Amino acid sequence: MRRAVCPGSFDPVTNGHLDIVGRASRLFDEVIIGVLINQSKSGLFTIEERLEMLSEATAGYENVRVAAFHGLLVDFCRAQGAAVVIKGLRAVSDFDYELQMAQMNIGLSGVETLFMPTNPLYSFLSSSLVKDVVKWGGDASSYVPDFVGERLVTRLRQN
């Protein structure tokens, strides 16, 4: 079985993330969305909320599942039986960092990294940018699934 991992924090999931996951799901028998538990960072949404949103957003894909992990990505890949990491690249600046990570991952464990260029519609999109737009009253509805947008508004405009 050809299995791949799409890792990230997904705080929150965006349409850019979903574009990469959807495209990866056509290339692999199974795609595991790995949500990184980073205890040194506090996210807007809890890990449980992110897993729930990702599960809902990817419910239409029979070969996609969601799981949380902490520690090294390569250890998570090994535990999942995945030999490939999928990373979306928005710009050349993403490539510099991601190339170093890919080289480290192959050196540590033989896990390959597949870089997918982001759809130009989402080349500027990041979870941080979406949160900022919503926080300041802007409309980010075209950048996230509807239910994620509603959660963002509720969480960021409570005051």
Side-chain angles (χ1 to χ4, degrees):
M1 175 179 276
R2 294 173 306 140
R3 188 175 287 143
V5 170
C6 286
S9 58
F10 305 99
D11 188 34
V13 60
T14 69
N15 291 341
H17 293 131
L18 296 174
D19 173 61
I20 296 296
V21 169
R23 289 164 52 204
S25 75
R26 293 190 301 269
L27 299 173
F28 292 89
D29 298 318
E30 184 177 34
V31 174
I32 303 140
I33 301 173
V35 181
L36 175 64
I37 301 169
N38 186 344
Q39 295 170 338
S40 64
K41 268 179 131 177
S42 67
L44 178 64
F45 294 102
T46 67
I47 295 299
E48 292 75 19
E49 289 172 317
R50 292 182 224 174
L51 292 170
E52 180 183 312
M53 287 188 284
L54 280 160
S55 293
E56 185 173 343
T58 59
Y61 298 105
E62 292 181 12
N63 64 334
V64 173
R65 66 182 168 89
V66 181
F69 76 97
H70 65 281
L72 293 176
L73 174 58
V74 294
D75 291 339
F76 178 69
C77 289
R78 194 175 299 124
Q80 300 298 316
V84 177
V85 171
I86 305 289
K87 296 295 290 193
L89 296 178
R90 295 172 292 194
V92 172
S93 57
D94 287 348
F95 183 73
D96 290 336
Y97 173 76
E98 296 298 347
L99 178 62
Q100 291 175 25
M101 294 299 296
Q103 290 170 331
M104 180 62 77
N105 289 342
I106 192 134
L108 287 173
S109 69
V111 171
E112 293 285 356
T113 301
L114 174 66
F115 296 120
M116 297 182 90
T118 302
N119 181 320
L121 293 172
Y122 308 120
S123 63
F124 62 91
L125 191 55
S126 71
S127 295
S128 298
L129 185 57
V130 167
K131 288 185 281 195
D132 283 344
V133 167
V134 172
K135 178 181 176 182
W136 298 109
D139 178 13
S141 61
S142 61
Y143 307 122
V144 294
D146 290 341
F147 68 91
V148 173
E150 292 167 10
R151 284 182 169 208
L152 279 165
V153 168
T154 299
R155 183 71 45 96
L156 292 170
R157 297 187 193 164
Q158 292 177 15
N159 303 339

